[in-house]
Amino acid sequence: CSYSGSCSYGKMEDEAGVYTYPDGSKFVGSLKNGAFHGSGKLFLPGGGWFDGVWEKGATVSGKYVFEDELEFKEGDDWDYCDGKNDRRFAKEVQENRLASPSGGVYRNKPLAGDVKLKDGCFDAGIGYFDSRDDGIYSFENNKFIREATEEEVEFFTNSASTSYNTAKG
């Protein structure tokens, strides 16, 4: 473990201390009398974090946020990946994009700078959709990936992004 911040009488005490665990988890926030106390974020090795309030080392309140910025919601209103509702990544929902195919990997940014799409082509997340033949092609090498479904064709032509960071409508 390591600690970066102020100490008082040999104990961690700081409004913006940083405590790092051996597994790479890192707490950034308020510490008092050697314990988490007040506001802080606990960053986890998998990419998510817990944003909360602690009192004498115990969690008082907070929320867990996944790496893709989806916030976990306790109770009956949690409908993410339940098999009945939307299975898109949080960014895909925010950007009004179709879900990546099963086993697909979501990229927040293109691999090599901004992607410039030709007229009639739309950002499909895993590549680009070409309305001339309803195909989805790789950004990197323009190779055919697969044919778009009817639902995807409708989505791309009505509301998809026409360049990497520009949403329609």
Side-chain angles (χ1 to χ4, degrees):
C1 297
S2 68
Y3 173 68
S4 173
S6 300
C7 290
S8 178
Y9 299 103
K11 294 185 178 182
M12 298 179 294
E13 192 142 337
D14 200 314
E15 290 294 314
V18 179
Y19 185 84
T20 306
Y21 290 90
D23 70 352
S25 297
K26 184 184 292 188
F27 176 81
V28 178
S30 184
L31 297 108
K32 185 175 181 180
N33 201 23
F36 302 164
H37 190 83
S39 298
K41 285 187 180 183
L42 180 61
F43 296 92
L44 303 172
W49 65 90
F50 184 81
D51 189 356
V53 176
W54 284 262
E55 188 173 315
K56 297 179 183 176
T59 306
V60 175
S61 63
K63 63 182 176 184
Y64 181 79
V65 182
F66 292 91
E67 182 177 15
D68 71 349
E69 299 179 10
L70 174 72
E71 291 182 19
F72 176 74
K73 296 177 188 169
E74 288 190 55
D76 295 336
D77 61 344
W78 178 255
D79 59 5
Y80 184 72
C81 289
D82 66 359
K84 295 180 252 173
N85 294 298
D86 212 339
R87 69 165 190 82
R88 295 179 290 172
F89 289 101
K91 287 288 186 193
E92 291 170 328
V93 172
Q94 293 164 357
E95 296 169 4
N96 195 25
R97 294 165 62 161
L98 289 178
S100 297
S102 295
V105 176
Y106 180 74
R107 284 191 285 118
N108 285 328
K109 298 178 181 172
L111 294 178
D114 289 339
V115 175
K116 303 295 182 199
L117 298 173
K118 297 181 272 183
D119 286 342
C121 294
F122 303 88
D123 185 347
I126 61 167
Y128 64 90
F129 167 75
D130 190 331
S131 62
R132 293 174 297 181
D133 63 3
D134 295 345
I136 298 178
Y137 296 85
S138 167
F139 284 125
E140 289 76 31
N141 58 20
N142 296 317
K143 286 190 178 178
F144 179 80
I145 297 172
R146 65 178 173 82
E147 191 167 319
T149 65
E150 245 179 70
E151 181 183 65
E152 289 172 323
V153 171
E154 183 179 338
F155 174 83
F156 293 134
T157 56
N158 292 326
S159 60
S161 296
T162 54
S163 67
Y164 195 80
N165 291 315
T166 307
K168 250 183 152 181

